[in-house]
Amino acid sequence: MSDMRLIVAGAGGRMGRALVRAIADSKGAVLAGALEAPGSDLLGKDAGVLAGLPANGVKLSADLWAMSKEADGILDFTVPAATIANVAIAAERGIVHVVGTTGLSASDNAVIKSVTNRAVVVQSGNMSLGVNLLAAVVKRVAKALDESFDIEIVESHHRMKVDAPSGTALMLGQAAAAGRGIALDEAHSERGRDGITGARKPGAIGFASLRGGTVAGDHSVTFLGPFERLTLSHQAEDRMLFAHGALKAALWAHGKKPGHYSMADVLGLADI
Ligand SMILES: NC(=O)C1=CN([C@@H]2O[C@H](COP(=O)(O)OP(=O)(O)OC[C@H]3O[C@@H](n4cnc5c(N)ncnc54)[C@H](OP(=O)(O)O)[C@@H]3O)[C@@H](O)[C@H]2O)C=CC1
Ligand SMILES: O=C(O)C1=N[C@H](C(=O)O)C[C@H](O)C1
């Protein structure tokens, strides 16, 4: 099969630059386009140079429709509004859409799901093997422990992160809720505690977020029971981890039938 032609959306961003480097290092993929926001100062710049590589001739553009004519997939780590705009174009073009953007609302997620009867979408709040394994383990442990164990999820990220809780924290919360046989809704979660909060809701899943420095992404899930605590955790050491995961997802999805896939599908962890 010829190399998969990939567009990087948000090519001037932290993940975008990491993705350009991951593609340059890869076997089986080439950079076919670099998307940036309309009005960005980076439009027209070379994607390779921005990523710290030699120039590759791919200039940043805001025109996804034009660049996707000769592409097989798009790696999208941007902002919710951009991802939602990209969903329609990727589906229309019939190209694989790997969605890493977090902070999506329930209605954003519904829009993404709505195209998957005709489009291939791989979506995950975290593209790493370790976190996806952690989610599988969290689900098992939550199933084994009853409500006498409170569940608290703590995440730390770099100072530039704009959404909280992280997509990964929510994914781990979903895994814990699934293990418990509950939905991760308002009745079953506690977010952003401040002031006189009252006692903890029995059975709730709690979230706390730390922001600072250059942390690539730390997550822990603690089960706090009578006289004992169990903590399961993951630390991402570099965002290249997520870039390699996203590239793996695109190559895996190339030629798959339409559907809404997760990183657990890509990694073969869906049945764990
Ligand atoms: N699923 C996973 O494994 C991971 C997910 N993420 C998620 O990826 C997202 C991006 O993270 P990060 O790279 O750190 O953020 P950055 O802010 O560094 O990058 C986002 C980029 O998207 C650009 N952008 C904004 N609007 C558009 C648009 N309409 N079209 C094209 N590009 C646009 C921004 O441009 P401008 O600055 O001009 O607005 C910016 O360059 C976040 O939601 C983050 O949580 C991050 C790491 C791993
Ligand atoms: O914004 C980030 O940096 C990250 N975002 C993702 C999230 O919200 O969980 C994944 C990773 O932790 C890095």
Side-chain angles (χ1 to χ4, degrees):
M1 205 196 270
S2 53
D3 284 350
M4 187 174 188
R5 296 162 301 175
L6 290 172
I7 292 167
V8 171
R14 283 175 290 276
M15 275 303 294
R17 292 173 200 228
L19 288 161
V20 170
R21 288 197 294 276
I23 293 170
D25 269 357
S26 76
K27 286 198 178 68
V30 288
L31 186 67
L35 185 71
E36 250 305 328
S40 166
D41 292 346
L42 300 178
L43 294 178
K45 303 249 192 253
D46 186 279
V49 172
L50 281 176
L53 301 171
N56 58 21
V58 179
K59 307 288 184 205
L60 270 62
S61 155
D63 189 349
L64 178 57
W65 181 250
M67 75 176 75
S68 57
K69 189 162 182 258
E70 303 292 336
D72 303 304
I74 173 168
L75 306 177
D76 188 339
F77 290 70
T78 55
V79 294
T83 294
I84 293 310
N86 296 341
V87 161
I89 296 177
E92 185 65 25
R93 286 286 194 205
I95 65 174
V96 168
H97 194 175
V98 176
V99 177
T101 306
T102 59
L104 295 156
S105 66
S107 65
D108 292 334
N109 282 315
V111 171
I112 294 172
K113 285 207 181 97
S114 72
V115 300
T116 55
N117 56 349
R118 59 193 164 98
V120 181
V121 177
V122 184
Q123 183 182 8
S124 178
N126 196 300
M127 302 287 172
S128 76
L129 170 62
V131 157
N132 283 278
L133 257 179
L134 175 63
V137 174
V138 163
K139 184 174 170 186
R140 283 279 187 95
V141 174
K143 191 172 182 178
L145 300 174
D146 65 20
E147 269 196 21
S148 66
F149 280 79
D150 299 319
I151 303 176
E152 289 285 317
I153 299 176
V154 181
E155 52 104 345
S156 307
H157 281 88
H158 54 93
R159 60 167 70 94
M160 301 306 288
K161 185 162 177 63
V162 297
D163 55 310
S166 67
T168 308
L170 292 170
M171 185 176 138
L172 294 170
Q174 303 272 12
R180 282 248 161 114
I182 56 172
L184 189 65
D185 54 14
E186 221 174 291
H188 294 111
S189 37
E190 289 200 359
R191 289 160 66 157
R193 297 184 185 111
D194 187 18
I196 309 295
T197 58
R200 202 180 189 288
K201 277 187 288 207
I205 296 170
F207 292 87
S209 299
L210 279 65
R211 293 289 174 266
T214 56
V215 183
D218 289 357
H219 292 88
S220 69
V221 182
T222 302
F223 296 83
L224 304 96
F227 314 114
E228 58 181 334
R229 290 192 302 276
L230 167 65
T231 298
L232 304 168
S233 68
H234 178 267
Q235 289 84 35
E237 294 176 356
D238 190 298
R239 62 174 56 81
M240 283 308 288
L241 173 71
F242 311 125
H244 286 300
L247 185 54
K248 186 175 192 146
L251 294 168
W252 175 88
H254 195 195
K256 285 270 181 308
K257 62 177 200 281
H260 186 234
Y261 300 99
S262 69
M263 206 55 202
D265 296 316
V266 175
L267 296 169
L269 302 174
D271 296 329
I272 288 190

